[in-house]
């Protein structure tokens, strides 16, 4: 492992826990932050925005925007035209400070408990590696990607387009682990993953822990991943082991996973019960509201941005079908009045990966509004407008994600 990769594992000392980075609605936890010796929001705001936190010091500083110690965004023009996002460009979103680097000192010794199966067991990473292995290329996207475009000013990190990337996960399919343990017990409706972050004393664990439940229909695509882009999974991104659900929003991809349980009901942890729920502006989160599970079809332009020279221009971007295969991408240079189909670049790396796209156009001097819209294989087309909601989640609007371009 390189020195920069080792540095990625030094997480505990430098990560501050701000109000924004606690779970949605964790009022009691927020009130206790200063008392626990964790840095409050005011202190985090004083830190230089250009400085990478220690646990992510291996990231390419020129390719990311540092919003806080727990949130780094990939710059819009840093995505490039390749399918796979380089690990040092990939965004970071942590709900809690990462564990210390001691958990990756002996990766194969990491243990995960599998419950809700006919033969429950605790397995080490070394044992998981003997059950099976596969790689899947998939988009990892924060639920709040595109939040900055909402006009009502939702709280949380003001992500533009860069809380997303497309990476290669390698690990054991969860379905293979389940099969080895005798299958899922009857009546289980959810896969519930629990993270291994250390929780501060004096706080009800359910108010702050990272524990997410998703429907068991995701079993066939779920994996327990120990590699990211063909390297050992960095602590920064959930190493030594992460529950990965391709096609689902990032919050469901539980880092430092310590337990995977098949359950009859969803977890009562606040991050599930009231957090990451779609509700009207001004409404509190509740279990009966839609949860941030499957991602929809989406695209956006990555270059050119702001200005360009007249003549032949190559309009680049990325598009993905969310939980479905991508079918096509169209681009408009007049704000959506007329559309041209773009050409997809690079290899097709499967249902869950994104595809870079390009459209060659001749531009004369003037002002243009460049937008893109994607359609998945099920016929779902990216919507023009966002659905306003309290937390600014799930923005797939092609209008919001457009680029205003001045050509000279």
């Amino acid at each position: 492992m390189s020195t920069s990769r080792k540095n990625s594992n030094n997480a505990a000392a430098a990560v501050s826990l701000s109000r924004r980075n606690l779970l949605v609605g964790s009022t009691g936890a927020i009130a206790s932050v200063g008392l626990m010796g964790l840095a409050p929001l005011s202190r985090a705001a004083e830190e230089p925005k250009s400085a990478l936190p220690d646990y992510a010091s291996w990231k390419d500083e020129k390719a990311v925007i540092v919003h806080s110690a727990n949130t780094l965004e990939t710059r819009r023009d840093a995505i490039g035209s390749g399918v796979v996002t380089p690990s040092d460009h990939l965004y970071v979103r942590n709900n809690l400070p990462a564990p210390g680097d001691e958990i990756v000192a002996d990766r194969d010794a990491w243990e995960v408990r599998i419950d809700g199966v006919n033969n429950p067991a605790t397995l080490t990473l070394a044992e998981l590696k003997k059950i099976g292995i596969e790689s899947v290329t998939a988009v990892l996207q924060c639920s709040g990607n595109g939040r900055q475009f909402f006009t009502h000013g939702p709280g949380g990190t003001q992500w533009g387009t860069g809380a997303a990337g497309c990476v290669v996960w390698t690990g054991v399919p969860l379905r293979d682990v389940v099969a080895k343990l005798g299958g899922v017990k009857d009546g289980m409706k959810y896969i519930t993953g629990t993270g291994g972050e250390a929780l501060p004393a004096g706080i009800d664990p359910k108010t702050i822990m990272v524990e997410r439940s998703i429907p068991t229909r995701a079993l066939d695509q779920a994996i327990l991943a120990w590699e990211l882009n063909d390297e050992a999974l960095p602590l920064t991104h959930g190493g030594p082991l992460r529950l990965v659900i391709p096609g689902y929003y990032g919050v469901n991809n539980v880092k430092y996973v310590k337990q995977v349980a098949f359950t009859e009901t969803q977890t009562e942890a606040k991050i599930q019960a009231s957090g990451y729920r779609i509700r009207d502006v001004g409404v509190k989160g509740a279990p009966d509201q839609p949860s941030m599970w499957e991602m929809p079809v989406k695209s956006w332009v990555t270059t050119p941005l702001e200005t360009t020279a007249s003549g032949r221009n190559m309009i680049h971007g990325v598009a993905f079908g969310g939980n479905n295969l991508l079918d096509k991408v169209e681009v408009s240079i007049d704000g959506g009045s007329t559309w041209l189909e773009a050409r997809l670049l690079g290899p097709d790396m499967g249902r869950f990966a994104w595809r870079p796209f390009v459209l060659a156009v001749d531009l004369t001097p003037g002002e243009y509004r460049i937008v893109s819209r994607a359609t998945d294989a099920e016929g779902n087309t990216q919507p023009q407008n966002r659905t306003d909601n309290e937390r600014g989640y799930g923005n797939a609007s092609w209008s919001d994600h457009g680029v205003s371009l001045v050509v000279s």
Side-chain angles (χ1 to χ4, degrees):
M1 185 182 299
S2 66
T3 300
S4 62
R5 188 68 62 192
K6 288 179 181 177
N7 289 340
S8 73
N9 297 331
N10 185 15
V15 182
S16 58
L17 188 59
S18 71
R19 289 181 178 86
R20 286 183 177 177
N21 298 321
L22 285 170
L23 308 182
V24 177
S26 299
T27 306
I30 290 172
S32 303
V33 167
L35 300 176
M36 296 184 297
L38 300 174
L41 179 62
S42 59
R43 188 179 304 166
E46 295 170 358
E47 295 174 359
K49 288 296 181 182
S50 61
L52 293 168
D54 286 351
Y55 78 104
S57 61
W58 56 278
K59 294 285 184 177
D60 182 349
E61 190 168 1
K62 298 191 295 285
V64 298
I65 301 166
V66 180
H67 289 288
S68 75
N70 286 340
T71 50
L72 283 71
E73 177 174 359
T74 307
R75 294 185 181 276
R76 190 166 185 154
D77 59 358
I79 289 176
S81 57
V83 177
V84 176
T85 304
S87 298
D88 62 355
H89 287 200
L90 184 62
Y91 83 99
V92 175
R93 167 68 172 108
N94 288 333
N95 280 289
L96 288 174
D101 58 5
E102 67 275 1
I103 72 169
V104 292
D106 183 0
R107 292 172 175 270
D108 282 349
W110 182 262
E111 294 181 337
V112 59
R113 177 71 182 177
I114 311 296
D115 278 325
V117 292
N118 288 307
N119 299 303
T122 298
L123 300 171
T124 65
L125 179 49
E127 291 171 323
L128 290 174
K129 289 179 178 179
K130 296 177 181 179
I131 295 175
I133 187 170
E134 71 177 31
S135 293
V136 59
T137 305
V139 171
L140 181 69
Q141 180 183 213
C142 180
S143 303
N145 198 29
R147 179 180 286 136
Q148 71 171 219
F149 304 117
F150 286 83
T151 56
H152 69 278
T157 300
Q158 297 302 299
W159 303 111
T161 63
C166 184
V167 295
V168 181
W169 302 103
T170 298
V172 61
L174 183 57
R175 62 183 181 274
D176 290 357
V177 178
V178 168
K180 184 176 180 61
L181 300 179
V184 178
K185 285 185 177 180
D186 292 341
M188 302 302 173
K189 298 179 180 179
Y190 298 96
I191 305 169
T192 299
T194 307
E197 297 95 339
L199 302 180
I203 291 181
D204 178 358
K206 292 293 185 183
T207 66
I208 195 170
M209 68 190 301
V210 178
E211 186 172 81
R212 287 285 295 177
S213 299
I214 59 170
T216 52
R217 62 176 176 262
L219 175 58
D220 283 346
Q221 62 213 62
I223 70 170
L224 292 169
W226 54 75
E227 284 187 3
L228 171 70
N229 291 346
D230 298 327
E231 295 185 348
L233 181 60
L235 187 76
T236 315
H237 292 292
L241 190 68
R242 185 169 185 173
L243 175 62
V244 173
I245 318 293
Y248 281 61
Y249 281 104
V251 67
N252 304 290
N253 296 253
V254 177
K255 301 182 183 78
Y256 328 109
V257 63
K258 288 298 293 182
Q259 177 176 278
V260 177
F262 293 86
T263 56
E264 296 181 8
T265 59
Q266 297 179 32
T267 173
E268 295 179 355
K270 186 159 285 190
I271 194 172
Q272 180 80 27
S274 60
Y276 291 90
R277 298 282 178 173
I278 294 289
R279 70 264 197 184
D280 291 340
V281 176
V283 175
K284 293 183 178 180
D288 61 346
Q289 299 159 346
S291 189
M292 296 305 294
W293 285 337
E294 294 100 335
M295 295 186 294
V297 62
K298 187 174 181 178
S299 71
W300 61 88
V301 171
T302 55
T303 57
L305 303 176
E306 298 182 356
T307 62
T308 190
S310 60
R312 194 70 162 174
N313 273 267
M314 309 297 280
I315 298 173
H316 287 269
V318 290
F320 53 96
N323 200 43
N324 297 319
L325 188 67
L326 178 70
D327 180 40
K328 66 177 181 179
V329 185
E330 299 165 288
V331 173
S332 172
I333 63 172
D334 53 17
S337 296
T338 59
W339 297 89
L340 295 169
E341 187 165 344
R343 179 167 60 90
L344 300 179
L345 296 176
D348 181 351
M349 297 187 72
R351 164 184 165 191
F352 304 113
W354 70 24
R355 297 292 301 275
F357 64 82
V358 64
L359 178 71
V361 291
D362 292 311
L363 299 177
T364 57
E367 296 182 1
Y368 296 82
R369 182 64 179 173
I370 314 296
V371 292
S372 64
R373 68 181 183 191
T375 301
D376 69 21
E378 301 298 317
N380 301 301
T381 298
Q382 187 176 355
Q384 178 177 357
N385 300 313
R386 77 185 96 85
T387 300
D388 283 336
N389 62 89
E390 171 66 16
R391 296 294 297 172
Y393 289 145
N395 189 356
S397 160
W398 60 252
S399 179
D400 278 353
H401 288 77
V403 174
S404 294
L405 189 65
V406 175
V407 178
S408 58

